[in-house]
């Protein structure tokens, strides 16, 4: 597989999303029209590129996919590479509708858990307690008060052919998921957790370390859901690492009390147990 | 009116430095203005900021095009002739570099002062954020503002312990600055480099982004390709014949991810020599 | 055939490849007609039922980028919801054609405030009078929008209810003739991975004169005037019908002393009023404004030399500012020495009926003003 990114790009040092783009497009190959909406500059790719309004991610993929069909070029893949703002929040409506129509498109989200392009404002993808520039910590605020939206499950509940999660800390899993998506048709979505040194406030050298700890502690489990029912957990350690391994290196969680850490631990453990059960059954009950 | 231009990188605090100068001027009863040249700067990307100080309200809102003073927060940008482009004759450039002003290669009709702000920042703040570590030098060599006013302004931006650390950086920079002297090099060709990078896209060379640079010990390397897989910028290239990595330095931003991930510690990050 | 059926029929004749729309009164039946056409499989046509107007605009925008011929349609609030991506379609110079079935914001009845509020989006804006003109104008819109000199999206506006749901005879051109006259669209340049120019990959944002894209866009829209006039000639040659020079359509103007300037369905009512006034010996004519953007500046400057008065009937208002057509007309004539008396009439807002006798009143007022009589500058009809 050749590199499909043109580097150096204008991403920050140690950018998780720049790596997510590099790995995903490397796996996708060159028969792709890449679609963008406002987001951080991750990596430029050797692909034709469409862009549109922030809220139009699902719609532009739909238009391209239908247009390609009209001109007899269904072999070309319409791929969206969007941020969490464009997926979880402002672009959610259009993506949900595209999923419901089961458009023949691929949506890949580099999830860095806040609006990083504008300076770390909270998004629907920001985890509970994380400090952002719009969830400062003070007498009335403990960071973000509510948990991250479970966007993969929300899209799985559209009964689409494929929804998967991935992490830049697990490149082989990421690449094999993209490869699988290439073999099927219909609405396919991959959410890639992409640590952001600037917004999460850690040393840029630790991007992979943190991405890995997130998966190993059950904060960001790697799984895939087919047709809204078939469920597979792709990474199953014998024992989860404590969530502190994930939380402690990040200054966005530095203010957290022991009780708050225990809250995150409890949630992570409970949801991990549910995922293990689903994995055992091989299906989700939605 | 005094016009100042600051050169730095995203994350070094050039914009904050411009605001501290403007605030300090205000503290001394002057009017001031601090304009950031915001594009879509990223951590590490070159950027500029501007300050105007006057006895009357500053009305112009255009960018500063002919500054009296150029303050350069970054040791690598400090090597580029472009930092003195359109500097007023007889003006002043304050450079972040370990070298004395006599050794500075950029030239023209201006004075040069130097201070090793990166070392000061690393030693007082623990991070290469050089904005306050150059402001002491600025106060001393320009005499425009009292160092006390700068310290007062810093306290407004950084309350508590962080403020104290930054004030310590200012004090050291005030003591350690060298110069100003007339630039040693008299004639230097104007550089056609856009040191402000606006917008998104592909860059030619990001070598100057690095404060630390990776060094590979090929004997230690076991050829596992981990560094190659994880490099976001494809700066790590793989030599299939030797089964060893090599670094495309123009693409390396010095994040240190490769060194952190190498299972046998065959890569270490060393301070960039300037 | 009702107005909306005429629009849908034009879509079929133009062999549109991808259409997308969200139902909104009074545009709704177009989405139904298009859905039926899709289901019948009459030609290679894809219709995307979407969850909102913003999506429909972006769908046709992206499909147009691939080179497909596209169509969308909406009304009033739906058009407002499209405002954001309309800018992208305009700036990207994509030859999308859209029918705007006018619906005002204060109530559901038609006025032109919906399309008028989209002036800054970088589209060509046309206003039409009757069902035949809808069909013909949509076909011509493709011819103009896809012209390599233009590549600008065009909105064809017509009034809801009194036209969208009103039945009248429409002559349908033969498919073979349309096919000959309107060849397939092509993406310019190709966006396919195997055909695209690789030197465009590394092109980022920024750099260059940031004002230049606006200048280029503005000048391309101004060029519509020339191409629309050409298109009207070739349309007449092929199909035997024409609507003035495309920019304006004159009615009883040869010997007119004064003109009423109106657009949309009420221009038809105005024609009836002109007939009556002519019988009474009043030398009144109508100039129907077809293209609001670009504005027929040259045509009006010529007419201004010959006329004693122009009554401008605006069916939209920018609150606190006034009627947009009145303002633009006076702007066009400001530096010309010979210019007629001009009066502003606000009519048909909120769908208020504009009747034949209203136009007779307007005609009388402008005649009086033209003869030097004292008439108030602004009248709410």
């Amino acid at each position: 597989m050749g590199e499909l990114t043109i580097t150096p790009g204008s991403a920050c040092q140690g950018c998780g999303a720049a790596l997510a783009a590099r790995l995903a497009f490397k796996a996708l190959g060159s028969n792709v029209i890449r679609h963008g909406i406002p987001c951080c500059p991750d990596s430029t790719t050797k692909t034709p590129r469409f862009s549109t309004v922030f809220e139009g991610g699902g719609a532009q993929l739909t238009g391209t996919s239908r247009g390609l069909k009209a001109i007899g070029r269904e072999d070309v893949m319409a791929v969206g590479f969007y941020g969490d703002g464009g997926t979880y929040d402002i672009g959610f409506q259009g993506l949900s509708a595209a999923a419901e129509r089961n458009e023949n498109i691929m949506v890949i989200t580099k999830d860095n858990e806040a609006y990083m392009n504008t300076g770390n404002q909270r998004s629907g993808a920001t985890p509970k307690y994380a400090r952002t520039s719009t969830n400062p910590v003070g007498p009335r605020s403990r960071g973000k008060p509510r948990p991250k939206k479970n966007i993969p499950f929300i899209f799985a509940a559209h009964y689409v052919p494929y929804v998967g999660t991935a992490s830049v800390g697990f490149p082989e899993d990421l690449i094999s998921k993209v490869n699988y998506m290439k073999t099927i048709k219909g609405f396919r979505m991959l959410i890639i957790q992409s640590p952001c040194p600037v917004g999460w406030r850690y040393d840029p050298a630790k991007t992979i370390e943190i991405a890995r700890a997130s998966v190993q502690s059950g904060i960001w489990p790697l799984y895939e859901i087919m047709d809204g029912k078939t469920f597979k957990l792709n990474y199953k350690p014998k024992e989860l690492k404590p969530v502190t391994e994930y939380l402690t290196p990040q200054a966005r969680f530095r203010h957290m009390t022991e009780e708050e850490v225990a809250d995150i631990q409890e949630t992570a453990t409970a949801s991990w147990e549910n995922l293990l059960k689903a994995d055992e059954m091989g299906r989700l009950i939605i | 009116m005094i016009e100042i231009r600051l050169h730095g990188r995203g994350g070094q605090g050039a914009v904050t430095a411009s605001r501290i100068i403007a605030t300090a001027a205000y503290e001394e009863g002057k009017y001031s203005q601090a304009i950031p040249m915001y594009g879509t700067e990223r951590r590490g990307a070159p950027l500029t900021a501007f300050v105007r100080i006057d006895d009357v309200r500053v009305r112009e809102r255009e960018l500063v095009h002919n500054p009296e003073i150029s303050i350069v927060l970054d040791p690598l940008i400090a090597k580029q002739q472009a930092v003195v482009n359109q500097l007023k004759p007889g003006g002043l450039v304050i450079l972040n570099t370990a070298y004395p002003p006599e050794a500075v290669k950029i030239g023209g009709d201006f004075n040069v002062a130097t201070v090793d702000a990166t070392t000061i920042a690393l030693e007082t703040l623990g991070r290469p954020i050089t904005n306050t570590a150059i402001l002491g030098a600025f106060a001393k060599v320009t005499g425009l503002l009292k160092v006390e006013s700068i310290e007062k302004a810093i306290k407004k931006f950084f309350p508590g312990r962080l403020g104290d650390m930054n004030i310590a950086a200012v004090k050291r920079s005030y003591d350690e600055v060298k110069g100003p002297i007339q630039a040693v090099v008299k004639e230097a060709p104007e550089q056609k480099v856009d040191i402000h990078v606006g917008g998104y896209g592909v860059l030619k060379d990001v070598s100057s982004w690095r404060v630390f640079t990776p060094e590979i010990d090929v004997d230690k390397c076991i050829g596992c390709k981990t560094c190659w897989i994880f490099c976001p910028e494809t700066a790590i290239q793989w030599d299939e014949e030797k089964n060893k990595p090599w670094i495309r330095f123009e693409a390396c931003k010095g994040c240190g991810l490769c060194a952190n991930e190498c299972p046998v510690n065959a890569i270490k990050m060393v301070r960039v020599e300037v | 055939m009702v107005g909306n059926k005429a629009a849908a029929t034009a879509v079929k004749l133009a062999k549109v490849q991808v259409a997308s729309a969200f139902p909104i009164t009074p545009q709704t039946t177009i989405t139904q007609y298009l859905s039926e056409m899709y289901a019948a499989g009459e030609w290679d046509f894809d219709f995307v039922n979407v969850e909102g107007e913003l999506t429909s605009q972006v769908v046709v925008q992206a499909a147009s980028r691939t080179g497909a011929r596209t169509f969308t349609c909406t009304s009033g609030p739906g058009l407002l919801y499209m405002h954001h991506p309309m800018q992208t379609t305009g700036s990207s110079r994509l030859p999308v054609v859209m029918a705007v079935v006018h619906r005002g914001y204060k109530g559901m009845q038609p006025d032109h405030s919906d399309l008028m509020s989209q002036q800054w989006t970088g589209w060509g804006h046309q206003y039409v009078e009757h069902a035949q003109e809808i069909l013909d104008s949509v076909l011509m819109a493709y011819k103009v929008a896809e012209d390599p000199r233009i590549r600008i999206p065009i909105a064809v506006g017509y009034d809801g209810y009194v036209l969208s749901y009103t039945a009248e005879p429409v002559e349908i051109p033969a498919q073979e003739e349309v096919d000959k006259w309107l060849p397939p669209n092509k993406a310019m340049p190709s966006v396919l991975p195997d055909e695209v120019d690789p030197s465009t990959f590394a092109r980022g944002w920024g750099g260059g004169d940031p004002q230049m894209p606006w200048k280029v866009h503005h000048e391309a829209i101004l060029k519509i005037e020339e191409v629309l006039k050409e298109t009207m000639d070739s349309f007449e040659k092929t199909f035997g019908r024409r609507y003035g020079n495309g920019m304006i359509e004159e009615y009883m103007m040869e010997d007119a002393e004064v003109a009423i300037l109106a657009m949309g369905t009420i221009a038809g009512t105005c024609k009836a009023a002109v007939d009556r006034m002519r019988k009474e010996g009043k030398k009144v004519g109508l100039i129907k404004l077809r293209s609001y953007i670009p504005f027929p500046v040259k045509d009006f400057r010529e007419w201004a030399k010959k006329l004693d008065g122009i009554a401008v009937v605006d069916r939209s208002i920018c609150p606190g500012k006034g009627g947009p057509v009145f303002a633009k007309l006076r702007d066009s004539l400001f530096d010309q020495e010979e210019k007629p008396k001009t009066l502003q009439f606000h009519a048909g807002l909120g769908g208020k009926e504009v009747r034949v006798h209203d136009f007779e009143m307007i005609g009388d007022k402008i005649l009086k003003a033209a003869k030097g009589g004292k008439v108030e500058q602004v009248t709410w009809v």
Side-chain angles (χ1 to χ4, degrees), chain C residues 21 29-41 45 47-49:
Chain C
T29 55
I30 312 184
T31 64
Q32 294 169 353
Y33 296 135
L34 294 179
S35 299
E36 283 161 14
M37 287 171 175
Y38 170 75
F45 170 58
F47 182 68
V48 190
N49 276 299

Side-chain angles (χ1 to χ4, degrees), chain A residues 7 9-11 22 117 209, chain B residues 42 200 231 234 248 253 260:
Chain A
T7 53
S10 39
R22 180 189 154 212
N117 197 29
E209 208 176 297
Chain B
R42 303 290 130 199
Y200 290 175
C231 179
T234 64
R248 193 160 63 93
K253 293 173 178 169
N260 199 63

Side-chain angles (χ1 to χ4, degrees), chain A residues 6 30-33 44 46-48 50-53 55-56 59-60 63-64 66-68 70-71 73 76 93-94 97 101, chain C residues 17-18 46-51 54-55 58-59 61-63 65-66 68 81 84-85 88 191-194 196 201-202:
Chain A
I6 312 173
S30 53
N31 201 20
V32 162
I33 296 178
T44 304
K46 297 171 194 164
T47 47
F50 289 4
S51 57
T52 192
V53 293
E55 63 278 21
Q60 69 170 341
T64 302
R66 303 291 186 115
L68 287 169
I71 63 168
R73 286 301 301 268
V76 178
Q93 171 184 320
R101 292 190 303 266
Chain C
Q17 292 161 291
V18 179
D46 204 355
F47 182 68
V48 190
N49 276 299
V50 290
E51 86 293 352
L54 189 143
T55 292
V58 179
V59 165
Q61 176 190 101
R65 277 202 177 106
T66 68
Y81 186 35
H84 189 194
T88 319
V191 292
L192 296 168
D194 46 346
V196 74
F201 293 161

Side-chain angles (χ1 to χ4, degrees), chain B residues 72-138:
Chain B
V72 189
L73 280 70
D74 185 88
L76 284 154
I77 301 182
K79 288 163 88 172
Q80 297 178 6
Q81 185 68 27
V83 299
V84 294
N85 273 3
Q86 275 149 24
L87 194 62
K88 281 205 179 116
L92 170 71
V93 56
I94 305 170
L95 303 173
N96 169 14
T97 170
Y99 293 102
E102 291 78 12
V104 168
K105 297 285 192 310
I106 57 176
D109 175 18
F110 53 80
N111 296 312
V112 185
T114 65
V115 64
D116 187 3
T118 304
T119 301
I120 295 174
L122 285 171
E123 288 174 11
T124 54
L125 309 169
R127 285 188 288 170
I129 301 174
T130 52
N131 57 353
T132 50
I134 206 153
L135 288 179
F138 166 77

Side-chain angles (χ1 to χ4, degrees), chain C residues 197-365:
Chain C
D197 172 7
S199 75
T200 60
F201 293 161
R203 206 175 285 163
W205 294 7
D209 178 355
Q211 207 167 254
M212 194 48 75
W214 287 102
K215 182 170 183 277
V216 171
H217 194 165
H218 174 64
E219 284 167 359
I221 293 182
L222 291 180
K223 230 179 168 24
I224 287 178
E225 176 162 6
E226 181 193 333
V227 177
L228 180 59
K229 286 176 178 173
E230 273 176 28
T231 304
M232 189 58 81
D233 292 342
S234 82
F235 187 85
E236 187 191 23
K237 229 168 131 190
T238 313
F239 303 104
R241 283 185 299 277
R242 72 176 296 128
Y243 304 91
N245 64 11
M247 300 291 287
I248 56 167
E249 181 194 333
E250 295 111 336
Y251 184 73
M252 306 292 279
M253 284 300 295
E254 293 76 18
D255 59 342
E257 287 164 6
V258 297
I260 299 173
L261 199 176
M263 53 212 280
T265 48
I266 59 171
T269 308
C270 185
K271 285 177 184 167
V274 166
D275 288 346
R276 284 194 205 173
M277 285 186 279
R278 284 286 176 162
K279 274 185 199 144
E280 292 163 15
K282 297 171 182 167
K283 292 201 165 172
V284 181
L286 161 76
I287 301 177
K288 182 171 99 181
L289 180 62
R290 293 190 78 253
S291 171
Y292 174 65
I293 298 176
F295 196 78
V297 175
K298 276 184 235 149
D299 291 316
F300 281 116
R301 284 170 81 96
E302 283 311 307
W303 274 116
K305 289 176 193 162
K306 298 175 211 155
L307 292 169
D308 298 328
I310 301 179
V312 180
V313 185
D314 263 300
R315 203 176 187 175
S316 72
I317 184 163
C318 178
K321 189 166 168 247
V325 181
F326 183 66
K328 185 62 197 167
L329 175 77
R330 284 167 59 116
D331 158 47
S332 308
L333 306 181
F334 180 78
D335 56 356
Q336 178 161 302
E337 240 167 68
E338 302 155 279
K339 56 188 163 215
K341 185 85 188 153
T342 49
L343 294 176
Q344 161 89 83
F345 293 87
H346 296 298
L349 293 166
K352 186 175 179 182
E353 197 180 15
V354 187
R355 302 185 57 187
V356 176
H357 63 71
D358 290 325
F359 276 108
E360 289 180 83
M361 176 273 287
I362 291 167
D364 287 341
K365 282 202 175 189

